[in-house]
């Protein structure tokens, strides 16, 4: 059975109007002029920065413009940026390319292989039919979107955002495959925009949900660590009192605008209940390959969840959690599950649950794409460019005192998180905010907390977070839609965090 053909037939292509097609052509051409011009303007400018910092700034601006214009494939642009950093003497090759071997790269590869096994053995259909048969869903695409996003946000509060996205990505693709396959049966077509909304919900809800608990995402732990160094303790419960309301508010906004801007065009899939029941019967009994794949996938979930459970039982500063977290990062958990796929039986003929020929059909372009973006973010931190940019942007904020520092911290953290990882943003911005607060005689708790939470924003680019990189590989998300929809969530997220922090400051002041 040619699974490649069957899978591709289920993925619709986006229809562009003649005006949109013309815009896309000129957008790609424009990048060939804007990127070199911006690079040269910054490189030969008189900005008072060290050579490495100024050169890196020129490279980053050029790379971001090429990403926005898609003049060349985005993974190649990422590799180009890293290569230019070496060629122009920003840092030696071993330092620049080290992020390409970051454990997150192995999480990408492992989770994609697990998703591949789920698809080829039909576990996606079993799950999709199961979810769509819930009575409360009632075969309504908007309810599917809400339930899917709510589960994603909840899981990411306890598991890392990236691991949550890796799990929910395969499930979301399964649901979309089912919905698009029903055109002939129901005579109505789910809009392509709905697929975009589902994939963006996967990534954005995971990033939002991570704000709910201290262990939801690494920037939270980083911010808490910096506050502890400043003599301020933040307990698990105290964080949740602040984080959970923010998550609920952001998620409701996310669902509302995705549901409005990317409608399914179908209020309800008529006759779906009977059809789903028939299709579930056609699946028959569980096969050996399906059982093996389920064991491997659940093993990955256990590997990803266990550190969070240990943190809940013994505390996130306990020796048990620190030991397990260092020995079992998400990448290792994903790879161990992949190894199981190659060990567990696929059928009675001696074949395994996953063959190498099938495993290598994943989207490998995500690795250089995120690796290059991560490399530039690390270099920004190491060369001092991030600190200089943060201090410069802070000086431009037309506010003073604690309010001004809260607004500045949120805006700067958001901007930096767009072009580097959320972890890098927290590492760059939070200590600067604390230092400025202490220099001005301000309690650093609220401003630092605001910068920490804002570090989990940054939704506009595939390289902004690993979550975005994963869903971008689905093929359902045009880059300009990710930019537009991510920009809306950035704006609302920043406003929500600033408002919540001002209320917190007022209540404890």
């Amino acid at each position: 059975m040619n699974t490649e053909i069957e899978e591709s037939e289920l993925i619709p292509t986006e229809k562009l109007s003649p005006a949109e097609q013309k815009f896309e052509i000129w957008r790609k051409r424009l990048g060939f002029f804007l990127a070199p011009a911006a690079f040269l303007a910054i490189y030969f400018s008189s900005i008072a920065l060290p050579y490495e910092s100024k050169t890196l700034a020129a490279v980053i601006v050029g790379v971001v413009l090429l990403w926005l214009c898609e003049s060349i494939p985005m993974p190649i642009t990422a590799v180009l940026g890293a290569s230019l950093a070496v060629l122009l003497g920003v840092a030696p090759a071993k330092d620049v390319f080290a992020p390409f071997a970051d454990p997150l790269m192995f999480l990408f590869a492992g989770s994609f292989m697990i998703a591949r096994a789920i698809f080829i053995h039909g576990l996606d259909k079993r799950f999709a039919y199961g979810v769509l048969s819930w009575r409360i869903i009632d075969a309504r695409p908007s309810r599917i979107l809400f339930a899917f996003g709510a589960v994603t946000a909840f899981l990411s509060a306890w598991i890392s955002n990236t691991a949550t996205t890796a799990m929910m990505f395969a499930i979301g693709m399964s649901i979309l495959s089912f919905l698009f396959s029903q055109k002939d049966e129901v005579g109505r077509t789910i809009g392509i925009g709905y697929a975009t909304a589902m994939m963006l919900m996967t990534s954005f809800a995971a990033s939002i949900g991570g704000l709910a608990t201290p262990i939801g995402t690494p920037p939270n732990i980083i911010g808490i660590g910096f506050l502890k160094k400043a003599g301020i303790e933040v307990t698990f419960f105290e964080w949740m009192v602040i984080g959970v309301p923010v998550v609920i508010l952001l998620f409701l906004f996310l669902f509302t605008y995705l549901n409005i801007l990317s409608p399914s065009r179908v209020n309800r899939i008529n006759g779906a209940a009977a059809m789903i029941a028939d299709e579930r019967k056609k699946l028959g009994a569980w096969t050996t390959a399906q059982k093996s794949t389920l064991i491997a996938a659940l093993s990955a979930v256990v590997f990803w969840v266990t550190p969070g459970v240990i943190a809940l039982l013994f505390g996130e500063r306990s020796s048990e959690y620190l030991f397990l977290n260092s020995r079992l990062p998400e990448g290792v958990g994903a790879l161990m599950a992949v190894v199981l796929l190659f060990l567990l039986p696929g059928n009675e003929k001696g074949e395994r649950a996953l063959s190498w020929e099938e495993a290598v059909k994943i989207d490998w372009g995500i690795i250089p794409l995120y690796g290059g973006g991560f490399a530039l973010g690390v270099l920004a931190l190491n060369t001092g460019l991030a600190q200089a940019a943060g201090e410069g942007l802070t000086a431009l904020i037309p506010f003073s005192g604690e309010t001004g520092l809260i607004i500045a911290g949120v805006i700067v953290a958001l901007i930096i998180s767009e072009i580097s990882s959320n972890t890098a943003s927290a590492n760059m911005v939070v200590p600067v905010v604390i230092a400025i607060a202490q220099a001005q005689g301000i309690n650093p708790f609220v401003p630092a907390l605001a910068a920490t939470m804002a570090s989990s924003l940054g939704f506009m680019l595939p390289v902004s977070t690993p979550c975005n990189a994963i869903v971008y590989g689905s093929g359902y998300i045009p880059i300009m839609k990710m930019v537009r929809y991510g920009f809306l969530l950035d704006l609302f997220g920043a406003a929500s965090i600033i408002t919540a922090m001002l209320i917190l400051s007022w209540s404890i002041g």
Side-chain angles (χ1 to χ4, degrees):
M1 180 172 65
N2 191 334
T3 56
E4 283 298 298
I5 294 176
E6 291 181 356
E7 182 178 19
S8 63
E9 287 177 347
L10 296 179
I11 301 178
T13 56
E14 184 174 35
K15 301 293 184 180
L16 298 179
S17 67
E20 289 174 326
Q21 291 176 353
K22 186 175 181 180
F23 171 79
E24 289 298 311
I25 292 173
W26 280 105
R27 178 171 66 89
K28 293 181 178 182
R29 290 177 179 175
L30 191 60
F32 288 118
F33 298 96
L34 288 180
F39 170 84
L40 293 174
I42 297 174
Y43 185 80
F44 289 106
S45 70
S46 57
I47 299 175
L49 287 173
Y51 171 80
E52 293 81 2
S53 299
K54 185 171 74 169
T55 302
L56 180 61
V59 171
I60 289 176
V61 170
V63 166
V64 170
L65 286 172
L66 286 176
W67 276 333
L68 292 175
C69 295
E70 289 187 290
S71 302
I72 57 178
M74 296 185 73
I76 301 302
T77 301
V79 173
L80 172 63
S83 300
L84 285 175
V86 177
L87 288 171
L88 297 172
V90 174
K94 63 182 182 64
D95 295 335
V96 173
F97 291 106
F100 284 83
D102 187 87
L104 282 175
M105 304 306 154
F106 298 95
L107 174 60
F108 285 145
S111 61
F112 283 179
M113 289 182 185
I114 294 170
R116 180 67 187 164
I118 288 173
F119 174 80
I120 63 176
H121 295 307
L123 276 180
D124 55 344
K125 292 182 179 179
R126 288 190 180 275
F127 184 85
Y129 292 138
V131 171
L132 295 176
S133 65
W134 291 353
R135 289 186 178 181
I136 194 172
I137 299 299
D138 195 30
R140 297 181 185 275
S142 61
R143 295 185 184 182
I144 294 174
L145 183 66
F146 182 89
F148 181 83
V151 170
T152 302
F154 175 79
L155 289 175
S156 68
W158 311 100
I159 313 170
S160 80
N161 301 347
T162 308
T164 300
T165 304
M167 287 190 293
M168 299 303 290
F169 172 74
I171 295 171
M173 292 293 286
S174 303
I175 293 173
L176 291 174
S177 294
F178 169 77
L179 292 177
F180 285 123
S181 69
Q182 303 311 302
K183 177 181 178 181
D184 294 335
E185 286 81 354
V186 301
R188 304 180 73 180
T189 304
I190 296 292
I192 181 62
Y194 184 79
T196 301
M198 178 70 78
M199 288 294 99
L200 289 178
M201 177 64 83
T202 307
S203 173
F204 291 176
S207 294
I208 289 171
L211 292 172
T213 69
I215 60 172
T217 183
N220 297 353
I221 298 295
I222 291 170
I224 290 173
F226 282 126
L227 282 169
K228 183 179 180 180
K229 290 181 181 179
I232 301 173
E233 294 282 347
V234 181
T235 68
F236 202 100
F237 179 76
E238 288 172 342
W239 180 283
M240 290 191 66
V241 169
I242 303 167
V244 171
V246 172
V247 168
I248 293 174
L249 183 63
L250 292 181
F251 175 74
L252 291 176
F253 174 78
L254 171 65
F255 167 74
T256 300
Y257 86 78
L258 284 180
N259 197 45
I260 293 174
L261 297 181
S262 293
S264 63
R265 299 178 187 170
V266 178
N267 293 327
R268 188 176 185 276
I269 303 176
N270 297 324
M275 183 170 40
I276 290 172
D278 291 339
E279 291 296 332
R280 292 182 70 180
K281 290 180 181 179
K282 291 178 183 178
L283 293 176
W286 282 69
T287 66
T288 301
Q290 288 175 340
K291 294 176 182 177
S292 295
T293 301
L294 181 62
I295 291 172
L298 290 178
S299 298
V301 174
V302 171
F303 291 142
W304 289 334
V305 170
T306 300
V309 173
I310 296 300
L312 283 175
L313 295 176
F314 300 100
E316 65 270 18
R317 298 183 182 89
S318 65
S319 58
E320 292 86 355
Y321 171 73
L322 295 175
F323 173 81
L324 189 60
N325 195 49
S326 65
R327 298 297 180 89
L328 191 60
E330 292 92 343
V332 172
L335 292 180
M336 292 298 293
V338 169
V339 171
L340 283 177
L341 289 172
F342 286 94
L343 293 175
L344 294 173
N347 54 35
E348 292 73 19
K349 299 179 181 179
E351 297 178 354
R352 302 303 175 185
L354 184 65
S355 67
W356 183 247
E357 290 75 14
E358 289 290 348
V360 296
K361 293 177 182 178
I362 64 173
D363 183 8
W364 292 100
I366 296 300
I367 294 178
L369 172 60
Y370 189 74
F374 191 22
L376 294 178
V378 171
L379 289 175
L381 178 63
N382 294 341
T383 62
L385 174 62
Q387 183 173 354
E391 293 174 350
L393 289 170
T394 300
L396 296 176
I397 303 298
F399 300 97
S400 60
E402 185 182 46
T403 299
L405 193 53
I406 290 172
I407 296 173
V410 168
I411 293 176
V412 173
L414 189 159
I415 293 174
I416 293 179
S417 68
E418 289 290 359
I419 58 175
S420 65
S421 71
N422 295 347
T423 301
S425 178
N427 274 311
M428 297 173 193
V429 181
V430 176
V432 175
V433 169
I434 292 176
I436 294 174
Q438 291 175 333
Q440 296 181 1
I442 299 171
N443 185 339
F445 170 58
V446 176
L449 186 62
T452 300
M453 287 192 164
S455 294
S456 289
L457 302 179
F459 301 100
M460 292 172 59
L461 295 172
V463 295
S464 297
T465 67
C467 305
N468 283 11
I470 290 174
V471 299
Y472 182 75
S474 68
Y476 284 123
I477 306 176
I479 182 61
M480 293 311 295
K481 281 194 174 181
M482 179 173 279
V483 170
R484 291 198 301 269
Y485 291 5
F487 179 71
L488 286 175
L489 190 55
D490 277 341
L491 284 181
F492 188 81
S496 299
I497 291 174
I498 290 171
T499 301
M501 294 302 108
L502 291 177
I503 293 173
L504 176 64
S505 176
W506 173 79
S507 65
I508 65 177

